[in-house]
Amino acid sequence: MEVVIVKNPDDVAVHAAKRIVEFMIKKPDVVLGLATGNTPIALYERLVAIYNEGKLSFQDATTFNLDEYIGIEPSNPQSYRSFMNTHLFEKVDIAQSRTHVPECPPGENPRVIGDAYEQKITAVGGIDLQILGIGSNGHIGFNEPYSSLASRTRVKTLTQQTVADNNRLFASGEFQPQLAITMGIATILEARHILLLATGKQKASCIRKAIEGPVSAMCPASALQMHRYTTVILDEDAASELKESDYYRWVNLKHESLVDEYGYFHND
Ligand code: PGA
């Protein structure tokens, strides 16, 4: 695992955008795995700005979002489809037909939808680069604690903590979903590269467990320790409970000289 600690949330977005742009320049037909939530908004703003400068195109890119609520229509402004349209898809040159969100309309069987989503990912050759946030309980996607580390795209019941964390986004009296369809942990681990972003003190504890704790279904993000090419980009607040942060900084200094010497290099 590569752990990069930068000063603040803006720097997290700048650093993540740089990684993604470098990747997309090398592989314009990239298959991106995308995340919603507060954390990636600044990243999407940055990618849109780079696109507006004419330095990036999504024309040949394909995207798969991690998750979607069950019980609200894609056109509902609270849906993750709407989130993606607002923050990225409508602002860049990506064809809507190449953007995928695991939507489960009323009356459809979520198991069938989940299997079909997996097949669509396989059919395009798998995800090249997966963007992740992390829940304060350690979830990735909506793989809540105790999710099987071998799980695939399926329905999950959100924990009360996740419902409470997301409550700020819903008006009082507005329907707030308690179920979601999410890529599984095994689905995520099949992505060839993973970039996990976290900012703020409220993520410090789950980041410590994910990076320095044991691999455990109690902290789904800890499964990323089993993934060869994962980079975690943190601001100082999110990194504040890490015991080995001096070592991660030292590794990154060495990393720069290794990149100079050998070209692409990853601290796996
Ligand atoms: P957040 O959510 O970016 O809004 O903190 C992250 C997540 O729950 O995965």
Side-chain angles (χ1 to χ4, degrees), residues 119-137:
Q119 280 161 20
K120 277 188 211 155
I121 295 172
T122 306
V124 297
I127 291 171
D128 292 308
L129 178 59
Q130 174 69 56
I131 315 299
L132 294 176
I134 182 170
S136 58
N137 62 6

Side-chain angles (χ1 to χ4, degrees), residues 181-203:
I181 181 161
T182 179
M183 278 187 206
I185 295 175
T187 322
I188 292 169
L189 291 178
E190 276 175 9
R192 285 182 274 280
H193 293 81
I194 294 178
L195 267 188
L196 183 144
L197 318 182
T199 60
K201 279 249 185 270
Q202 72 284 8
K203 299 293 172 70

Side-chain angles (χ1 to χ4, degrees), residues 36-40 67 132-136 139-142 162 166 168-169 202-203:
T36 52
N38 216 30
T39 314
D67 46 19
L132 294 176
I134 182 170
S136 58
H139 73 204
I140 45 176
F142 271 135
T162 297
N166 290 349
R168 70 192 193 280
L169 304 168
Q202 72 284 8
K203 299 293 172 70

